[in-house]
Amino acid sequence: MEQINTASRIHPLMATAALSVIALSVAGTAAITGLLPSSKADTSAVATAPQQLTAPQALAALPSQALAAQPTPTAQQLADAQMLVAKYSPQAAQPRPAPEEVYEKPVVKKVVHTPRRAPQQTRVAQHQAPNYRAQPAQPAQQASQPNYVGIGAGAVIGGLLGNQIGGGRGKKLATVAGAIGGGFLGNEIANRAK
């Protein structure tokens, strides 16, 4: 017997799809970061954002050549940076005022003893909210109506259980009996669930 060796190769359409996903991902990343010359990315905001959020002491520590090479931020950019620093700086940096101790005078209550009277008979007024909903009339006994979903589900389950019993003609008879019994039982269960 001759064996045919087939090399497992990727389908050309799958390779094309993989390469197109990679190419679009690289192009999207380049467009977002501003590496593409025709992209509409705002690279000035990306380049100046770290400079705006640095503290004045850190700016003073930088060499003068690095400061001269960078453009000076405008007054609007400085105001925006100060707003962002104030908004996102942790609240723990601001000193909290010490809580003041408040001395309260103890309250003196005067207790007056009055003679107790014998309890009088009291009546409690009870007011029930009006009920505007019509109360459904409940008949003494409702006639059970056939529930076709219950009958069908019970018949299928009963037929499957009946099919597991016996062999030959007995198996057929048990399947039919299980379907009939399951239909009655399914209808009863569905009517009780209402």
Side-chain angles (χ1 to χ4, degrees):
M1 202 174 208
E2 186 179 331
Q3 264 188 332
I4 301 174
N5 290 333
T6 58
S8 62
R9 295 175 52 198
I10 191 167
H11 195 272
L13 289 177
M14 291 297 291
T16 305
L19 289 175
S20 65
V21 167
I22 292 171
L24 286 175
S25 298
V26 169
T29 304
I32 290 172
T33 58
L35 296 176
L36 288 180
S38 64
S39 72
K40 296 187 183 326
D42 187 13
T43 57
S44 63
V46 174
T48 59
Q51 297 165 2
Q52 292 174 354
L53 297 178
T54 57
Q57 295 86 12
L59 284 175
L62 290 174
S64 61
Q65 298 125 359
L67 287 176
Q70 297 175 354
T72 24
T74 63
Q76 179 63 33
Q77 289 175 338
L78 288 175
D80 290 343
Q82 288 174 353
M83 182 198 61
L84 288 174
V85 168
K87 183 177 180 181
Y88 293 109
S89 66
Q91 297 296 332
Q94 298 174 354
R96 292 185 182 172
E100 296 179 12
E101 293 185 29
V102 178
Y103 177 73
E104 294 182 13
K105 270 186 155 183
V107 178
V108 179
K109 294 182 180 178
K110 185 177 181 183
V111 179
V112 178
H113 293 284
T114 57
R116 294 190 177 194
R117 296 184 208 167
Q120 294 179 354
Q121 192 175 20
T122 58
R123 294 183 184 177
V124 178
Q126 294 181 355
H127 183 270
Q128 293 181 351
N131 189 358
Y132 295 109
R133 287 185 281 161
Q135 298 293 331
Q138 300 222 353
Q141 239 177 3
Q142 293 179 343
S144 62
Q145 296 179 353
N147 189 325
Y148 298 109
V149 174
I151 292 172
V156 168
I157 293 171
L160 288 173
L161 291 176
N163 195 21
Q164 303 298 320
I165 299 172
R169 286 187 148 219
K171 188 171 195 170
K172 291 178 185 176
L173 197 62
T175 302
V176 170
I180 293 171
F184 280 120
L185 189 61
N187 184 36
E188 185 66 28
I189 290 172
N191 282 336
R192 284 187 185 174
K194 283 186 181 179

